[in-house]
């Protein structure tokens, strides 16, 4: 279950409650979604009611960019653990391979008082002195201390992932990246498979709630609509099935119990698309990103995507 854009305690509580009641076991979080304290409260309700136990849940969160310096990685994790009201994570990811200048961490309050943790100020807050290796060494220490079970990365292109894999004690278990029919990332997926790094797709439906006016709509694509119609499924279900057939797991956000159930049943049944259907979808690739660092970070976005 993805949790981006689950806003406010009531929406979060309802989404978490319905997802867990349906059988969801994986929940994907991040400090910059500004809802981890609400997720923590919702999870505690489920633990106390006996609906699920902590050990049966796979909980993921991410390291925000202001905390990439080695001495800040653990405090940032402890803040997330406090907000989520748990004592370990199953997976901790470097959210973006770019460091910002530090912002204060206030452990006396849950949540974040403002958006400073996610504010690059048009790239002015990017700290070019922090290396991925420095951050990764601190991530490895979290595993050694038992604070996280697995570590990984997010939004890492091949070049940065290759550099990280060349000199690490613990290999990243996951690379979570934007993948949908308009951004298929074939070379990245092939590289990750060759190096034993699992690929997890976010924005698998083209982020309908995030995209700006005038941007293309994956869910309204005529080719996808035609294939989905012939199969008796929605375009959203088709996109999820396509990603899973390519060997990727999927982070899909929904607050709707109906859509949560559809997504979960699809993951369980995993319908197989034909070779011709996969080929038709492959032809839709246009290298289109809905999440574009160059829009946020100015010229410093060159540190991530070309």
């Amino acid at each position: 279950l993805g949790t981006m854009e689950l806003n406010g305690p009531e929406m979060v509580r309802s989404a978490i409650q319905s997802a867990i009641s349906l059988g969801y076991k994986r929940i994907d979080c991040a400090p910059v979604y500004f809802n981890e304290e609400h997720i923590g409260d919702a999870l505690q309700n489920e633990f106390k009611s006996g609906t699920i136990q902590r050990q049966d849940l796979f909980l993921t969160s991410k390291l925000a960019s202001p905390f990439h310096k080695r001495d800040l990685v653990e405090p940032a994790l402890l803040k997330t653990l406090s907000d989520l009201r748990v004592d370990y994570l199953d997976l901790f990811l470097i959210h973006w391979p770019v460091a910002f200048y530090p912002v204060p961490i206030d452990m006396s309050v849950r949540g974040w008082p403002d958006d400073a943790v996610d504010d690059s100020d048009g790239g002015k807050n990017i700290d070019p002195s922090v290396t991925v290796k420095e951050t990764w060494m601190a991530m490895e220490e979290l595993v050694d201390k038992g604070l996280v079970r697995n570590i990984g990365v997010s939004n890492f292109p091949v070049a940065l992932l290759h550099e990280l894999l060349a000199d690490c004690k613990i290999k990243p278990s996951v690379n979570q990246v934007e993948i949908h029919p308009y951004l298929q990332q074939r070379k990245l997926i092939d590289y990750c498979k060759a190096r034993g790094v699992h690929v997890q797709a976010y924005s698998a439906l083209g982020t309908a709630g995030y995209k700006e006016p005038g941007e293309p709509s994956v869910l309204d694509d005529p080719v996808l609509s035609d294939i989905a119609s012939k199969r008796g499924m929605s375009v959203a279900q088709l996109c999820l099935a396509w990603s899973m057939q390519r060997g990727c797991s999927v982070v899909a956000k929904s607050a709707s119990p109906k859509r949560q159930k559809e997504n979960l049943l699809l993951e369980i049944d995993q319908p197989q698309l034909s070779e011709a259907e996969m080929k038709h979808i492959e032809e839709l690739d246009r290298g289109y990103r809905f999440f574009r660092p160059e829009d946020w970070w100015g010229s410093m976005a060159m540190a991530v995507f070309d």
Side-chain angles (χ1 to χ4, degrees):
L1 178 71
T3 59
M4 182 179 174
E5 296 183 318
L6 292 182
N7 301 317
E10 183 53 36
M11 177 183 284
V12 169
R13 184 203 60 77
S14 176
I16 294 292
Q17 182 182 53
S18 63
I20 289 178
S21 70
L22 288 167
Y24 277 71
K25 296 292 193 294
R26 294 184 293 118
I27 299 177
D28 182 85
C29 314
V32 299
Y33 301 163
F34 299 104
N35 57 9
E36 287 194 323
E37 72 274 27
H38 304 316
I39 293 170
D41 292 343
L43 290 176
Q44 281 299 313
N45 289 338
E46 300 305 310
F47 297 155
K48 290 176 180 177
S49 70
T51 309
I52 194 170
Q53 301 300 312
R54 171 66 186 95
Q55 62 266 25
D56 299 322
L57 193 67
F58 194 95
L59 198 58
T60 299
S61 190
K62 307 175 187 75
L63 179 71
S65 290
F67 312 120
H68 281 209
K69 283 185 176 292
R70 189 167 185 172
D71 62 338
L72 295 178
V73 173
E74 184 173 334
L77 170 67
L78 294 176
K79 170 64 172 165
T80 277
L81 293 178
S82 175
D83 284 347
L84 291 174
R85 299 176 67 179
V86 295
D87 55 11
Y88 71 92
L89 290 180
D90 298 280
L91 177 62
F92 194 43
L93 307 177
I94 299 177
H95 203 159
W96 288 90
V98 173
F100 293 176
Y101 293 114
V103 299
I105 298 175
D106 187 351
M107 294 295 293
S108 69
V109 297
R110 297 178 65 228
W112 297 91
D114 52 43
D115 65 355
V117 70
D118 194 34
D119 183 14
S120 72
D121 192 17
K124 296 176 183 176
N125 287 338
I126 289 178
D127 183 354
S129 71
V130 184
T131 66
V132 170
K133 179 175 176 55
E134 174 185 343
T135 307
W136 192 252
M137 289 174 66
M139 298 281 283
E140 291 174 329
E141 291 169 358
L142 301 178
V143 178
D144 294 339
K145 293 179 178 181
L147 294 171
V148 300
R149 301 286 173 85
N150 302 277
I151 50 177
V153 296
S154 181
N155 300 300
F156 268 55
V158 168
L160 283 175
L161 189 58
H162 184 79
E163 184 72 16
L164 175 57
L165 287 165
D167 185 20
C168 62
K169 185 177 70 174
I170 301 174
K171 185 170 69 175
S173 58
V174 171
N175 188 13
Q176 187 185 106
V177 294
E178 180 182 352
I179 293 177
H180 44 75
Y182 289 174
L183 181 67
Q184 300 189 15
Q185 306 249 46
R186 285 187 291 272
K187 291 181 179 179
L188 176 64
I189 291 174
D190 288 345
Y191 179 82
C192 288
K193 286 180 178 178
R195 300 302 303 271
V197 178
H198 178 70
V199 177
Q200 189 169 67
Y202 73 77
S203 300
L205 312 181
T207 60
Y210 183 86
K211 76 181 189 69
E212 299 176 6
E215 291 193 284
S217 172
V218 172
L219 295 179
D220 293 324
D221 185 272
V223 173
L224 297 176
S225 296
D226 182 58
I227 296 173
S229 178
K230 289 176 179 177
R231 279 191 159 266
M233 60 171 59
S234 68
V235 174
Q237 289 176 310
L238 175 65
C239 289
L240 298 178
W242 169 78
S243 277
M244 288 186 286
Q245 191 160 324
R246 300 173 82 217
C248 303
S249 59
V250 179
V251 176
K253 185 272 296 183
S254 179
S256 162
K258 178 177 180 291
R259 292 196 182 96
Q260 287 178 352
K261 184 176 182 179
E262 290 174 351
N263 294 344
L264 185 63
L265 288 174
L266 188 79
E267 186 168 346
I268 294 171
D269 295 339
Q270 292 197 16
Q272 291 296 298
L273 305 179
S274 70
E275 185 176 334
E277 289 169 331
M278 293 294 287
K279 181 64 176 176
H280 287 317
I281 298 174
E282 181 181 327
E283 293 169 350
L284 298 177
D285 192 10
R286 58 180 79 178
Y288 193 90
R289 296 183 186 276
F290 290 97
F291 290 85
R292 299 181 296 273
E294 62 271 21
D295 290 354
W296 317 328
W297 300 338
S299 61
M300 293 298 284
M302 292 296 291
V304 183
F305 306 128
D306 57 20

